């Protein structure tokens, strides 16, 4: 499972990654999961199908992973991360200098962790720096981490109310519904620098089904790229709540470390990551 954050308003970085893998690394990419709403839109549906993307419902994913032996590419933040996305602000006296920014992502996805335990799939966390700078939106929604002890509340504005309403409607239709814009206030993306980083593999359980497990994790990833036998962990048919929560915490910690390790090299040394 390659789990990428953030989702951003429109995951153009996901399209780029999908296109590269579909053409050059088909054994690594496999199957991409998206919402049912996206698969109902005529033009978008055909583009997604060309990129080997389909519904993210559990039955379809299990069929692709277990029956067809495919890897899974997914943006776990989904609709929730759409409304957490906002473009970085720039200093008024220097349009090339970005102000410090707090990137908020929705990474505590217990369903995805349970899926990994049930299928024995190894998780590769991924983060794309600059993804939220491609577009901006009129009604971003601010969220606080559960570890945030600051209970001060800002005055609710009409845009805040509109943002919450659009987020509620998006959950109902299971698709993003927001007012977004780019260059010249048109749906033309900005051109920020994008840097994708891939974290170390996360094994849901210790046991590996492939007995030839003397190779390193990097070799395992290369095997997937070449189309050789994929290494998977021992499957857990009925994961306990404790197992799911433990894997979730390891996934969250891996994302936090991945962000801190590469943020300076990616060009955002003063940014911070908030995981909810």
């Amino acid at each position: 499972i390659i789990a990428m954050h953030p989702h951003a308003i429109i995951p153009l970085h996901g399209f780029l990654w999908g296109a590269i893998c579909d053409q050059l690394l088909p054994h690594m990419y496999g199957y991409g999961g998206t919402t049912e709403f996206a698969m109902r839109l005529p033009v978008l549906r055909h583009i997604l199908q060309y990129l080997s993307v389909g519904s993210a419902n559990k039955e379809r994913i299990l069929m692709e992973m277990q029956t067809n032996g495919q890897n899974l590419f997914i943006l776990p933040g989904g609709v929730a991360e759409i409304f957490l996305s906002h473009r970085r602000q720039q200093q008024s006296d220097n349009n090339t200098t970005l102000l410090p920014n707090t990137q908020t992502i929705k990474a505590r996805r217990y369903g995805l962790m349970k899926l990994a335990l049930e299928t024995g799939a190894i998780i590769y966390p991924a983060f794309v720096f600059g993804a939220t700078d491609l577009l901006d939106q009129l009604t971003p929604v601010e969220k606080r981490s559960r570890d945030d002890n600051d209970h001060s509340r800002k005055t609710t504005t009409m845009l805040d109310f509109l943002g919450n309403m659009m987020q509620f409607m998006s959950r109902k239709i299971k698709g993003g519904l927001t007012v977004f814009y780019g260059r010249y206030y048109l749906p033309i993306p900005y051109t920020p620098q994008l840097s994708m980083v891939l974290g170390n593999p996360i094994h849901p359980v210790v046991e590996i089904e492939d007995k030839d497990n003397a190779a390193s994790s990097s070799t395992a990833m290369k095997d997937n790229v070449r189309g050789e036998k994929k290494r998977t962990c021992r499957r857990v048919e009925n994961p306990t709540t404790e197992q799911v929560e433990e894997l979730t915490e390891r996934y969250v910690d891996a994302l936090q470390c991945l962000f801190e390790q590469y943020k300076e090299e990616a060009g955002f040394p003063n940014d911070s990551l908030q995981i909810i």
Side-chain angles (χ1 to χ4, degrees), residues 33-259:
T34 189
T35 63
E36 290 280 0
F37 180 79
M39 298 306 297
R40 295 193 186 103
L41 301 177
V43 177
L44 181 60
R45 177 181 63 204
H46 295 295
I47 296 174
L48 293 175
Q49 289 175 343
Y50 174 74
L51 296 174
S52 304
V53 177
S55 173
N57 66 68
K58 188 174 182 179
E59 292 74 17
R60 177 67 185 277
I61 289 178
L62 286 175
M63 182 188 74
E64 294 292 342
M65 295 183 70
Q66 295 184 324
T67 304
N68 299 336
Q70 299 280 6
N71 294 326
L72 172 66
F73 169 72
I74 195 167
L75 291 97
V79 172
E81 274 188 5
I82 292 177
F83 291 92
L84 297 173
S85 178
H86 61 88
R87 191 164 175 258
R88 289 176 176 82
Q89 296 181 349
Q90 297 177 334
Q91 290 184 358
S92 57
D93 58 341
N94 188 348
N95 290 332
T96 62
T97 302
L98 297 174
L99 296 174
N101 178 67
T102 298
Q103 175 74 66
T104 306
I105 61 174
K106 183 81 171 178
R108 299 182 187 277
R109 292 303 198 186
Y110 297 103
L112 182 64
M113 301 301 110
K114 185 177 181 181
L115 176 70
L117 287 163
E118 291 175 341
T119 59
I122 299 172
I123 305 172
Y124 286 86
F127 194 90
V128 180
F129 291 92
T132 56
D133 294 332
L134 287 165
L135 294 165
D136 208 346
Q137 62 179 321
L138 187 63
T139 56
V141 177
E142 292 187 7
K143 296 288 184 181
R144 290 194 301 270
S145 169
R146 67 180 184 178
D147 299 326
D148 191 353
N149 295 322
D150 183 10
H151 298 287
S152 60
R153 293 176 176 269
K154 294 172 61 177
T155 304
T156 302
T157 65
M158 182 59 68
L159 286 179
D160 295 329
F161 175 77
L162 180 61
N164 289 325
M165 285 296 297
M166 297 184 78
Q167 186 178 38
F168 174 78
M169 294 173 62
S170 296
R171 288 173 179 167
K172 291 295 183 182
I173 65 174
K174 296 182 179 180
L177 181 64
T178 186
V179 180
F180 68 92
Y181 57 90
R183 301 181 66 183
Y184 315 115
Y185 294 96
L186 296 173
I188 303 174
Y190 296 101
T191 55
Q193 175 182 326
L194 298 179
S195 300
M196 176 186 171
V197 292
L198 196 65
N200 294 325
I202 303 172
H203 298 78
V205 292
V206 177
E207 295 87 346
I208 302 294
E209 285 190 348
D210 182 6
K211 295 181 180 180
D212 299 327
N213 191 34
S216 64
S217 299
S218 60
T219 304
M221 173 58 88
K222 292 178 182 177
D223 289 346
N224 286 352
V225 174
R226 293 196 299 264
E228 299 177 8
K229 183 177 179 180
K230 297 180 177 67
R231 290 178 171 82
T232 58
C233 296
R234 175 178 59 84
R235 299 179 184 180
V236 181
E237 292 186 3
N238 297 300
T240 64
T241 301
E242 290 75 17
Q243 287 176 312
V244 173
E245 290 181 348
E246 187 272 338
L247 180 57
T248 300
E249 291 307 313
R250 284 198 283 140
Y251 176 67
V252 168
D253 290 343
L255 279 171
Q256 189 73 59
C257 293
L258 187 65
F259 181 88

